[in-house]
Amino acid sequence: KEREWKGPFYFIQGADPQFGLMKAWSTGNCDSSGDEWEQEIRLTEQAIQAINRLNPKPRFFVLCGDLIHAMPGMPFQREQTKDLQRVLGAIDRAIPLVFVSGNHDVGNVPTAETIEEFCQTWGDDYFSFWVGGVLFLVLNSQLLYDASSCPALKQAQDLWLDQQLSLAVQQKCQHAIIFQHIPLFLQSIDEDDDYFNLTRSVRKEMADKFTKAGVRAVFSGHYHRNAGGTYKNLDMVVSSAIGCQLGKDTHGLRVVVVTAEKIVHRYYSLDELNEKGIEDDLMELMKQ
Ligand SMILES: [Zn+2]
């Protein structure tokens, strides 16, 4: 039923609740797990409260990775996971949660074991789903970042992705949209490699694959700042964090409206979304 276009809808994108980073960042030791995460608990509670207040309800809430700060095998991994699951448990049951794996969730150099652990805790690391005629693909960007310890898993995702993208073309979806933790790029397809983007060769290959299949947008996190750019018809959208800010943005969420022709999105601070909800011009788009 969800393969058919029935009119505009919206969803909420969030990224990097990353329980533990604010403490680790404040002590200047980001490689530690962060031994407190009270602030992130409050911010994520605020995010859930804002989402629960929205009317009409979003079709889903996608969390684009770095769910917690403790990497696999580090202290507090279990405690941070448990607390995040408890906070997310307060979401309206009519709003499905979609989880994307980040580098902190499966490790900078993921292994079969760390990915399996993620899947056991949060669900598959890559998968697709349909909502109202739109095909959504969730990718494990760590397999694009460094698959040296699990080459077979990278190969499997690559093969699956190619199949999904050809399906997107055959099945004439209204749009195809991708979620992955690490952005392809932060501003431009030609920018230099750094910690926050995928390498030039990988990003170019992926971006060309996506645009050829008609993918309209990629939504990411990881940067803890809002950023983005376009490549051909592809909109690369980088959203700041629910948790720790590394720039001048506010803790927030992105509202994404999908209409027959376009994908319109706007980042809201948690306070703003809680107090005022979604602005009228975005709401208007959904009535068309
Ligand atoms: Zn990250």
Side-chain angles (χ1 to χ4, degrees):
K1 265 194 286 182
E2 290 295 337
R3 291 185 186 227
E4 268 170 58
W5 176 256
K6 291 197 187 100
F9 64 88
Y10 82 102
F11 64 88
I12 303 290
Q13 184 224 0
D16 303 272
Q18 208 163 336
F19 282 24
L21 175 59
M22 290 172 91
K23 175 67 186 291
W25 180 253
S26 73
T27 60
N29 184 10
C30 286
D31 291 337
S32 75
S33 294
D35 56 7
E36 281 171 33
W37 47 92
E38 271 309 312
Q39 293 183 85
E40 285 97 341
I41 288 178
R42 263 184 289 113
L43 290 162
T44 310
E45 282 172 348
Q46 217 190 332
I48 295 295
Q49 185 183 53
I51 293 169
N52 285 347
R53 281 183 182 168
L54 296 171
N55 182 29
K57 295 182 202 303
R59 292 299 304 271
F60 61 89
F61 172 37
V62 58
L63 255 179
C64 279
D66 283 359
L67 306 173
I68 61 165
H69 184 58
M71 296 236 184
M74 295 277 287
F76 305 118
Q77 190 198 9
R78 193 172 303 158
E79 291 83 354
Q80 291 174 355
T81 299
K82 232 179 81 200
D83 280 346
L84 177 58
Q85 288 180 330
R86 176 176 50 76
V87 173
L88 294 175
I91 196 161
D92 187 316
R93 293 178 74 165
I95 305 168
L97 281 159
V98 177
F99 299 112
V100 181
S101 62
N103 55 309
H104 281 265
D105 305 309
V106 296
N108 283 322
V109 186
T111 64
E113 289 74 31
T114 63
I115 291 174
E116 176 57 24
E117 194 186 345
F118 176 88
C119 295
Q120 295 289 340
T121 308
W122 299 103
D124 288 346
D125 58 329
Y126 61 89
F127 56 97
S128 66
F129 61 98
W130 288 83
V131 172
V134 178
L135 178 63
F136 292 92
L137 304 180
V138 170
L139 298 183
N140 178 350
S141 54
Q142 286 317 108
L143 295 175
L144 307 171
Y145 181 83
D146 187 347
S148 55
S149 296
C150 55
L153 295 181
K154 174 190 162 34
Q155 236 175 33
Q157 177 175 260
D158 286 346
L159 188 67
W160 170 87
L161 176 62
D162 289 343
Q163 288 165 347
Q164 290 292 315
L165 292 176
S166 66
L167 208 73
V169 176
Q170 288 161 28
Q171 302 215 350
K172 299 194 178 69
C173 51
Q174 191 75 23
H175 304 292
I177 293 175
I178 292 185
F179 299 121
Q180 59 184 53
H181 179 62
I182 302 184
L184 296 171
F185 55 85
L186 301 170
Q187 265 103 35
S188 110
I189 191 88
D190 297 315
E191 70 197 19
D192 292 338
D193 296 351
D194 73 23
Y195 174 78
F196 291 107
N197 58 24
L198 291 175
T199 60
R200 291 171 78 128
S201 62
V202 173
R203 109 175 55 121
K204 195 76 199 299
E205 185 193 328
M206 300 303 289
D208 282 328
K209 222 182 242 200
F210 293 166
T211 51
K212 242 176 239 158
V215 172
R216 293 292 298 275
V218 177
F219 289 88
S220 293
H222 188 53
Y223 193 38
H224 296 253
R225 280 155 278 203
N226 286 311
T230 53
Y231 171 68
K232 296 180 183 168
N233 290 325
L234 185 72
D235 196 4
M236 178 67 241
V237 186
V238 185
S239 295
S240 197
I242 293 172
C244 192
Q245 302 300 306
L246 299 184
K248 294 194 171 101
D249 294 298
T250 50
H251 310 281
L253 293 168
R254 191 173 292 276
V255 174
V256 186
V257 180
V258 182
T259 75
E261 294 83 31
K262 53 191 176 177
I263 293 144
V264 183
H265 52 86
R266 192 172 300 159
Y267 188 82
Y268 283 86
S269 75
L270 297 178
D271 287 340
E272 208 181 346
L273 197 60
N274 253 304
E275 282 157 28
K276 298 185 201 140
I278 300 170
E279 288 158 292
D280 292 343
D281 63 320
L282 289 185
M283 295 302 274
E284 251 343 279
L285 289 172
M286 280 182 275
K287 289 178 189 152
Q288 286 161 14

